[in-house]
Amino acid sequence: MKYFLIPFLSLFLIACNVTAQEQVSSFPPSARPDRIVLNLKGDPAVSMALTWRTDTSVTESVARIARNQPGIFLPDSSVSVNGTYTDITGDGNVSRYHSVYFTGLTPGTQYAYCAGSGPAASEWFTFTTAAASPRPFTFLYLGDSQGSISLYSRVIRQAYRSVPDAAFMVFTGDLVDGGAGSKLHDDEWGEWYRAAGFITAEVPLLATPGNHEYINPADRQKRVLNRYWRPGFTLPENGPADLEETAYSVDYEGLRIIALNSNEMMRDTGYAQAQAKWVEELLINNPCKWTVMIFHHPVYSTSASRDNRTLRELLKPLFDRYGVDLVLTGHDHTYARGTGMPEGQEHGGKGDGTVYVVSVSGAKQYRQDAQKWWDVGLTNTQTWQSVRVNGNELEYTSFDAAGNTVDKLVISKKNNGSKRTIKSTGK
Ligand SMILES: [Fe+2]
Ligand SMILES: [Fe+2]
C-alpha cells in the first residue's frame, strides 16, 4: 500500500514546489523596445518624456527625434538624445526601463521619434508639442482599468478611434490590480500595454496612482508604491517632497492640471497637509483659465460605505474658494457626475460649482447606492471621457465602450472669470 502512495506523494511535493516558485511573466523583455510610453513632464510646448523597456543586452538609453516630414529621409535629419535606465528584477526576468527627456522642442510642432538605436530600435512614432498660446484641444480621461484587460481593451481603443488627435490622456489610478510587494505581477502591466498597443507611444499619458498601485497582495497593510511606477513612467517631479511622479502639476495651453496622491493623503497626515498646502499655492498663483484636478479617491463617493471624508474636508474648501472646474477621480468602479454643493447640502441647485466625476474604464464594477450629489449615475457601464477646452468653453463628454454619449455638459466662463454650468443629458 505504501508503495502505491509514493507516486501521489511525489506529485503533491512537485505541485507544492511549483506553487512556491516565482511566477514567470508571459511578457518577457527582449532587445527590442516595448512598453513605450510618452509622458508630459515639463513645459509641454517645448518638451516630452519617453520611457520604454528592453532586456539587459541593451546597455545604452538612446532615442532619436526629428521634426516629422513626409520624406523617407526622416532618420537622416534626426538627432540622438541620451537618457538613463533602471533595472527591475522579478517574475523570472530582469527588465531595463529607459527614460529619455526631449527638451528644446518647438511649440505646436509634430515630431517623429524612435526608442533605442541600431537594428533593435523601435519604429518611428509621432507626437505634437503644445502650442505656445491656448488653442482648442481635447484630452481623454479614463478611470480604473484594473483587473481583466479582456473587456477594457475595447474602451481605450474606442477612445483613441473617436479622438485620435487627443492632446494627452489622463488615468486616475488602479491601472493594474496588484503590483507592490514581493511579486511584480508583470503580466498585468504586459496586458495593460498590449491593450493600448501604440496609443501610449503617441498620446502622452498623465497618471496618478490608485490604491492598487500600492497594495501588497501578501500583506495589505504594507503599502509601498508599485515598483514599476517610477521606472515605467517619466512623470513630473515638481510636487511635494517624496511624492515625485505621483503628485505634480502641468500647464497645458491655459489648462492647469494638478495630480494628487490621494493614497498618501488618506494614509498620512503629513502628506495630506503637505499636498493641501501645495495645491492651495498652485490655485492662488494660477495663470490658467481652466483648472482640473486628477486623483484616485473620490471627493464624493458613489457608495455610502466608501466615503472619503478626510479628502473632502481638506480639499473641497480649496476647490470652492479658488473655482476649480473639474475633479476627475476613480476608485468606486461606477460612473457618476455631479456639481459641487455647499458642505452639508445634498445638491447645489444652481449647478455653478466644481464638477465632480467618478469613472471606471475596466469591467470590474461595484454596486452604486442612490446618492443625491450626482446628476448622472451609471452602474455596470465602462466609460471613457473627452474634455474639450476651447477658449471660454469647456465641453465634458462621457462615452460608453461602444462610443455612445452617456453624459455631457458644457462649462461656460466669462472673460472676467465668472462661470456657469450648463447641464445636458447628452443623449
Ligand atoms: Fe481604488
Ligand atoms: Fe479600483
Side-chain angles (χ1 to χ4, degrees):
M1 187 67 179
K2 64 182 177 184
Y3 297 112
F4 179 74
L5 280 173
I6 285 175
F8 293 99
L9 187 61
S10 301
L11 282 172
F12 175 74
L13 289 173
I14 290 169
C16 288
N17 189 40
V18 167
T19 304
Q21 280 178 353
E22 185 179 40
Q23 177 184 342
V24 176
S25 174
S26 303
F27 298 86
S30 71
R32 193 164 186 81
D34 63 8
R35 302 189 185 184
I36 301 170
V37 58
L38 293 177
N39 292 126
L40 303 182
K41 175 178 168 66
D43 181 350
V46 296
S47 66
M48 186 66 72
L50 165 66
T51 311
W52 73 96
R53 181 187 77 152
T54 65
D55 62 21
T56 55
S57 69
V58 179
T59 57
E60 286 186 316
S61 303
V62 182
R64 297 194 70 81
I65 187 167
R67 283 189 185 222
N68 196 21
Q69 57 170 273
I72 59 171
F73 300 110
L74 165 71
D76 296 339
S77 64
S78 67
V79 295
S80 288
V81 181
N82 291 300
T84 57
Y85 65 73
T86 305
D87 290 344
I88 300 180
T89 303
D91 286 5
N93 297 296
V94 181
S95 295
R96 181 157 288 173
Y97 285 84
H98 305 265
S99 175
V100 162
Y101 188 31
F102 299 124
T103 57
L105 306 180
T106 302
T109 302
Q110 189 181 52
Y111 284 88
Y113 76 91
C114 67
S117 61
S122 73
E123 68 270 42
W124 290 83
F125 298 100
T126 60
F127 68 84
T128 301
T129 49
S133 56
R135 61 179 177 178
F137 69 92
T138 303
F139 73 88
L140 300 171
Y141 149 49
L142 291 97
D144 306 36
S145 48
Q146 173 191 346
S148 169
I149 298 302
S150 119
L151 284 168
Y152 157 72
S153 301
R154 65 200 171 121
V155 176
I156 181 71
R157 293 168 191 172
Q158 179 66 50
Y160 179 75
R161 192 158 53 241
S162 296
V163 193
D165 60 347
F168 56 91
M169 54 183 173
V170 166
F171 277 78
T172 52
D174 286 2
L175 282 63
V176 296
D177 196 47
S182 58
K183 294 181 180 177
L184 283 178
H185 296 257
D186 186 79
D187 281 345
E188 293 185 32
W189 286 104
E191 288 199 5
W192 190 83
Y193 276 101
R194 186 171 67 183
F198 67 81
I199 299 171
T200 58
E202 301 224 335
V203 183
L205 176 79
L206 291 176
T208 178
N211 52 308
H212 282 265
E213 274 81 45
Y214 275 85
I215 279 181
N216 178 350
D219 184 347
R220 295 174 72 90
Q221 299 308 311
K222 287 184 181 174
R223 297 195 169 203
V224 291
L225 182 62
N226 187 303
R227 279 205 279 154
Y228 278 134
W229 193 268
R230 297 206 58 188
F233 299 128
T234 306
L235 289 161
E237 301 177 48
N238 58 2
D242 300 329
L243 298 177
E244 289 80 6
E245 298 190 68
T246 67
Y248 54 82
S249 71
V250 173
D251 290 349
Y252 192 102
E253 294 187 21
L255 167 68
R256 173 155 286 187
I257 305 143
I258 304 174
L260 290 179
N261 184 330
S262 60
N263 300 278
E264 297 292 14
M265 285 198 89
M266 306 275 288
R267 193 175 69 97
D268 183 286
T269 306
Y271 283 132
Q273 297 293 342
Q275 289 188 81
K277 183 170 180 292
W278 172 71
V279 166
E280 183 162 24
E281 288 167 5
L282 285 172
L283 295 178
I284 291 172
N285 303 303
N286 186 356
C288 297
K289 175 167 284 190
W290 299 98
T291 306
V292 173
M293 303 293 307
I294 60 173
F295 47 89
H296 186 61
H297 297 79
V299 170
Y300 291 99
S301 176
T302 57
S303 171
S305 62
R306 296 171 67 82
D307 189 30
N308 305 305
R309 176 168 282 277
T310 306
L311 205 70
R312 185 167 61 255
E313 288 179 347
L314 264 175
L315 297 176
K316 183 173 184 295
L318 301 179
F319 299 165
D320 290 342
R321 191 175 310 149
Y322 302 106
V324 167
D325 299 295
L326 274 178
V327 177
L328 308 179
T329 64
H331 188 57
D332 280 353
H333 292 256
T334 63
Y335 176 82
R337 189 269 302 163
T339 304
M341 66 294 286
E343 201 67 60
Q345 292 186 23
E346 289 177 326
H347 200 283
K350 283 186 185 174
D352 58 355
T354 300
V355 174
Y356 293 88
V357 187
V358 176
S359 178
V360 57
S361 61
K364 186 179 183 183
Q365 302 274 329
Y366 293 167
R367 189 173 59 84
Q368 193 175 59
D369 297 333
Q371 298 280 324
K372 291 186 178 176
W373 69 266
W374 66 63
D375 298 317
V376 177
L378 299 167
T379 54
N380 296 324
T381 306
Q382 295 170 259
T383 68
W384 58 275
Q385 287 68 226
S386 73
V387 179
R388 178 146 184 91
V389 180
N390 184 2
N392 284 348
E393 279 195 348
L394 183 151
E395 183 179 284
Y396 165 92
T397 314
S398 181
F399 301 89
D400 66 18
N404 303 303
T405 300
V406 296
D407 185 21
K408 185 171 185 176
L409 66 79
V410 176
I411 305 174
S412 300
K413 194 170 279 195
K414 295 176 182 171
N415 284 332
N416 65 7
S418 63
K419 70 178 181 188
R420 60 192 174 91
T421 301
I422 304 169
K423 286 189 294 184
S424 163
T425 62
K427 300 285 185 184

